[in-house]
Each structure stands twice: as structure tokens, then as C-alpha cells.
Amino acid sequence: DAGVTQSPTHLIKTRGQQVTLRCSPKSGHDTVSWYQQALGQGPQFIFQYYEEEERQRGNFPDRFSGHQFPNYSSELNVNALLLGDSALYLCASSFGQGGLGVYGYTFGSGTRLTVV
Amino acid sequence: AQRVTQPEKLLSVFKGAPVELKCNYSYSGSPELFWYVQYSRQRLQLLLRHISRESIKGFTADLNKGETSFHLKKPFAQEEDSAMYYCALKPHSGGSNYKLTFGKGTLLTVNP
């Protein structure tokens, strides 16, 4: 089992552009959460997807949107990129209606986004 | 609002010494507390959660609701314990709040 897979691993974009990040959850997991980790900070919750719907959202602007597909994979889209969006974006999967599951999240390695 | 504070950004100890990584939280309801660890060049992984009440790799953590703390302890640190440690909080099961709130992390270095 490859665990949580994220692509791409690194990305450089220009201010104002749009970006799409992808995540395949661990086999058997049905819930996907996205986190933003700025340098020197802990991960910050962006949103969580369950049953193809956004179940909860953190304090992020509408420029951040997402999607979950029937196979439980997910995308994170960010429009009108700002320099401050430069960060590591982590995907975490889990199983269970409670959002976190019995064993907690399984994290991916992340996508490093640099906005120039 | 949920908040997690890890007062130490860096912690350095010698091998064999006791180690304690501090975590304080703020939450009005009943929380679930976790410790996550990230070893060099590896992904973030769950170390332990308070409801399990188990010891993982010699680490333990007790939830102190009176002091709103969840400090991580190990009696004898090993060099392989060197890593970034994150304390995290989630509202207890139930309701519609699934958000996991992380502290800023403590970088533990165990010197030989």
C-alpha cells in the first residue's frame, strides 16, 4: 500500500495564476483533509471532504476550493495565487464518519508550492 | 475556538536524559489530543493519542484537563528520537467539527 499519494511534489507558479494539487488517499480511506503548512508553522486546516462533499472548512478564502471524486481521491484548487500562498500543502486521509477515524490521519508527503 | 500552544520551538537534550515536550491547549468543550512526529525526510505520522493511553516508542502523554496540558514525556531519550513533534487537538467525537488544530511544533535534538 503506497499510503497517501500527492502530486506534484514541487510546483512553481506566478502570482495571479491558478493551481491544482492532487491527492490519492490510503486504500480503504474515504475522508480527505487538506492542510497548509507555512515555513516554521504547524499545519493549518483548509477543508475536509467526505462523500464527495465539503464537510468542514477552515479560515481560508474562497480562492481555495476542492473536490472529491467517487474513488475518494481529491483535488485542491487555488485561484489568483498570492505570494503568501507559498507553503507545503498536505493531504491527510482517514476512515470513518467521525472524520478522523480510529487510527488518526495518514498524511502524504505534501506538495511544495512556491509562488513568485 | 481551538488553540494549541507549544512553548518551545527547540529542545536539545543528551542521550539517556529525560525529555518533556510541552503542549497546552485552549478549547471550551471536550478535546481529543494527539502527538504527531515528523522524522527527517519522512512524512508526518501519528505518535500517540490520549484516548489510547498507550506508550509508543517509550513516549507517554497524559491529558491534564485542569491545567489544559498534554505534555509528551520519555524517561530516557535516544538519538533516533530527534524529530519535529506536533501537538494537535480535535473536538471529541460527535458534532460537526472535524478540524484538527496543530501547534507550531517543537524540534527535538538528542545529542550523543
Side-chain angles (χ1 to χ4, degrees):
Chain A
D1 180 13
V4 177
T5 305
Q6 291 187 244
S7 64
T9 53
H10 295 85
L11 204 52
I12 299 175
K13 289 287 189 178
T14 304
R15 271 181 302 175
Q17 284 189 314
Q18 178 264 343
V19 67
T20 297
L21 311 182
R22 295 177 175 82
C23 171
S24 292
K26 180 181 170 73
S27 177
H29 284 184
D30 59 3
T31 303
V32 173
S33 303
W34 287 92
Y35 284 79
Q36 180 195 66
Q37 187 173 21
L39 204 59
Q41 304 292 316
Q44 281 202 302
F45 178 76
I46 303 175
F47 41 53
Q48 183 179 90
Y49 277 84
Y50 174 70
E51 293 187 340
E52 301 180 49
E53 289 190 2
E54 182 184 290
R55 179 154 69 170
Q56 187 179 2
R57 187 179 185 89
N59 294 327
F60 281 81
D62 293 344
R63 297 186 298 107
F64 289 77
S65 63
H67 189 78
Q68 186 179 35
F69 299 94
N71 66 353
Y72 308 119
S73 67
S74 177
E75 288 182 349
L76 164 65
N77 301 291
V78 187
N79 295 322
L81 284 167
L82 304 173
L83 295 179
D85 295 333
S86 295
L88 180 69
Y89 289 84
L90 295 170
C91 172
S93 72
S94 57
F95 173 77
Q97 198 171 5
L100 194 58
V102 177
Y103 302 106
Y105 286 149
T106 298
F107 279 88
S109 298
T111 294
R112 173 73 61 188
L113 172 65
T114 302
V115 182
V116 298
Chain B
Q2 307 161 211
R3 184 176 298 163
V4 176
T5 303
Q6 294 180 251
E8 302 139 330
K9 201 169 184 177
L10 303 170
L11 184 62
S12 182
V13 300
F14 286 102
K15 177 182 172 181
V19 62
E20 181 180 52
L21 290 87
K22 291 185 168 52
C23 171
N24 291 93
Y25 68 89
S26 173
Y27 180 62
S28 56
S30 180
E32 286 190 56
L33 274 297
F34 307 82
W35 277 99
Y36 279 82
V37 60
Q38 187 167 27
Y39 301 102
S40 180
R41 299 189 190 87
Q42 294 187 27
R43 57 189 68 188
L44 202 56
Q45 58 186 284
L46 178 67
L47 180 62
L48 54 81
R49 58 196 298 181
H50 88 272
I51 60 173
S52 301
R53 303 186 68 82
E54 55 188 347
S55 172
I56 305 293
K57 299 185 178 183
F59 284 98
T60 59
D62 290 318
L63 178 60
N64 186 324
K65 291 188 177 180
E67 295 183 359
T68 59
S69 67
F70 188 57
H71 302 327
L72 183 68
K73 301 176 184 178
K74 185 169 183 177
F76 307 103
Q78 303 298 315
E79 290 180 68
E80 55 266 29
D81 296 328
S82 296
M84 179 69 85
Y85 291 81
Y86 294 97
C87 182
L89 175 153
K90 176 191 168 294
H92 199 273
S93 300
S96 59
N97 190 344
Y98 309 98
K99 172 180 164 183
L100 192 61
T101 299
F102 287 85
K104 292 186 177 182
T106 297
L107 180 62
L108 173 65
T109 302
V110 181
N111 300 297

